[in-house]
Each structure stands twice: as structure tokens, then as C-alpha cells.
Amino acid sequence: MDAVLSTLFSSGEEELYILDNLAYFMVFMAACTLVSLLFVNVPYGRYSSSKYGFAVNVRFAWFVQELPAFLVPMCLVFWTTCAKTSLLPNQLLIAMYFCHYVQRSLIYPFLIRGGKPTPFASFALAFVFCCYNGYMQIRYLSHFAEYPASWVTHPCFIVGSVLWSVGWLVNVHSDHILRNLRKPGETGYKIPTGGMFEFVSGANFLGEITEWAGFALAGHSIHSLSFAIFTAVVLTSRAVSHHKWYLAKFEDYPKNRKALIPFLL
């Protein structure tokens, strides 16, 4: 792996320059995505459409598209010379990342019950994004990120870590609620209840946004911040779309439930 990277980059300074620009480009992509999502929903699940390519089995799609977010970082951590992985702040941030993607890529796909197929375009874009972001996050943390020895006691790291933990728990618990809405043999959509779904329609999205916002605060870099911004843009749009869909679909949908932020939005 070191040999591959050495052929791509002439020096560590050049690779860091590329990593920085990948982060800035992700912020640009977030802005473009924000504009596009004003006119069209992300084509997946209930919003799937054949115009975005042939359908891919939902379990297969989730597993394959998310797998690079796990495998690419694994290769970077274990098959390259990692200058910073012996440092506690870097270790904890890398652990946060892996904790999410072990669940998302190796566990979550096999817990899916039913679910509509994923259009190929959505599947392919997600695969590319996971390669891109997996490299950017973990290469920076394992090889370039420098924190003071006391960083783990800094308020930014402590608050960020707490936010990440709360977000991860909300995300996993909300996914559990959604999976168990229907009993075996049942079809159709139901109103989710329990947990943060008592307050918002997009509880799973709120959890993941909170998770990566905490990661960005704890990581304190443009790389983690760009990922948090991109995640917030995409998942906020999904939460708002889901909320509007629920209100139109169910006459008895709770009127005091918000889309994403309890009591506000």
C-alpha cells in the first residue's frame, strides 16, 4: 500500500495538499447537492425511479456500497506506515469512524427486512463516495493529523465525543425501530413510534447528523467538517421529504412531530 501511495504522491506534503483539496471539494459538492435537492429527492427507497438505472437488491446494494468505507481505511491503517496511529487522540477518532462503519457496512445490511431495490445510479454514487471519504478521513487521521497531548481533555474533544456517542446510539436505536415496524408477512408503511421518533420524523437521520457533527468537533479539521456538512445537507433533505410524505400518507400522523429538530424544524 505504501508503494501505491508513493507512486501517486511525490511527497507527504503533496498528499496532504490533495487531502485538503478533497475536503474543500466535498464542501463544494455539499453546496451543489443542496441546490439539486431543492428540485428532486435522492432516488432511493420510496423515492426510487427506473430512470436512475436498473434496480439493485437493497441488501446487496447497502453491503457493497458501504464496504469501501470500511475496507479502504483498514488497508490504510494496517498496510501503510502510519505516523500518527500511536497517538491517543488519533486512535480515538479512528475508533469512532470504525465503530460507525463496522455497524453500517458489516451488520446493518444483513438486518434489513424487505426494502425497495436501490437504483444503480444511487448505488454507484454511494460506492464512490465511500471510497473517497474513507480515504480522506482515515489517511488524514492516521498519517497527518497532529493534536496536542492534552487534546483528549479539551472541551471540543469531550463535547464532540459525547455528541458522537449520543448520535450513534440514536441512529442505531432508530434503525432498530424502523426494522421492527412490520410484523413478519406484513407489507406497507407504518408510523414509527418510540425513541426520538416521538419528536421527529427523521430520528435516524438526526442521529447520524449529530454523530458526524460530534466527530467534526472532536477532530477539529476541514476533513471531518466537510463530511459533517455533506451529511447534514443530504440527510436534512431526506428528513424533510420523509416528514412531508408521512403527513400526506397518514391522516392521523402526529401534528406536533417535527421533521428533524425537536420542537423547531
Side-chain angles (χ1 to χ4, degrees):
M1 195 73 176
D2 279 328
V4 173
L5 292 171
S6 64
T7 61
L8 294 174
F9 309 106
S10 60
S11 65
E13 290 77 11
E14 181 184 6
E15 185 177 10
L16 180 58
Y17 175 78
I18 295 298
L19 286 168
D20 291 346
N21 280 280
L22 286 175
Y24 293 127
F25 184 68
M26 185 174 287
V27 175
F28 173 73
M29 286 197 301
C32 295
T33 301
L34 176 63
V35 174
S36 67
L37 290 176
L38 295 175
F39 304 99
V40 63
N41 289 316
V42 176
Y44 85 107
R46 66 196 68 175
Y47 313 112
S48 294
S49 171
S50 58
K51 70 180 181 180
Y52 294 104
F54 61 86
V56 181
N57 176 272
V58 64
R59 283 189 175 184
F60 177 85
W62 267 105
F63 175 67
V64 174
Q65 75 189 29
E66 299 291 323
L67 194 57
F70 173 74
L71 289 182
V72 171
M74 283 288 287
C75 292
L76 291 172
V77 170
F78 292 105
W79 294 348
T80 66
T81 303
C82 298
K84 306 297 182 181
T85 51
S86 62
L87 305 176
L88 182 59
N90 303 60
Q91 290 174 343
L92 293 175
L93 288 162
I94 290 171
M96 291 180 198
Y97 177 93
F98 273 113
C99 186
H100 175 88
Y101 277 106
V102 165
Q103 198 279 334
R104 182 60 74 193
S105 60
L106 303 181
I107 299 174
Y108 174 80
F110 303 101
L111 297 176
I112 294 174
R113 296 180 180 179
K116 292 186 176 180
T118 301
F120 180 77
S122 297
F123 163 70
L125 287 172
F127 180 89
V128 172
F129 179 84
C130 286
C131 293
Y132 178 130
N133 189 58
Y135 164 72
M136 182 177 71
Q137 299 301 330
I138 299 304
R139 184 58 174 170
Y140 176 73
L141 288 172
S142 67
H143 201 75
F144 296 103
E146 294 186 5
Y147 300 98
S150 61
W151 181 245
V152 294
T153 61
H154 191 283
C156 286
F157 188 88
I158 294 171
V159 173
S161 298
V162 170
L163 284 174
W164 180 89
S165 300
V166 171
W168 187 84
L169 289 171
V170 169
N171 182 237
V172 171
H173 182 244
S174 299
D175 283 342
H176 172 76
I177 290 173
L178 291 174
R179 278 195 304 272
N180 290 279
L181 283 177
R182 292 188 291 264
K183 296 178 181 178
E186 288 185 329
T187 58
Y189 290 97
K190 291 187 175 184
I191 300 174
T193 58
M196 288 302 295
F197 282 112
E198 296 298 319
F199 303 96
V200 296
S201 299
N204 50 331
F205 303 135
L206 172 61
E208 190 159 353
I209 290 171
T210 302
E211 190 181 344
W212 294 120
F215 181 77
L217 183 59
H220 226 62
S221 71
I222 184 59
H223 313 87
S224 55
L225 178 62
S226 64
F227 182 31
I229 291 171
F230 189 88
T231 300
V233 167
V234 173
L235 298 189
T236 297
S237 172
R238 291 185 187 180
V240 171
S241 296
H242 278 28
H243 186 66
K244 291 178 179 178
W245 186 90
Y246 279 126
L247 288 172
K249 178 77 172 178
F250 299 102
E251 292 183 0
D252 59 339
Y253 196 73
K255 303 302 180 185
N256 62 337
R257 188 178 294 185
K258 299 298 182 179
L260 183 66
I261 303 175
F263 314 115
L264 295 176
L265 173 64

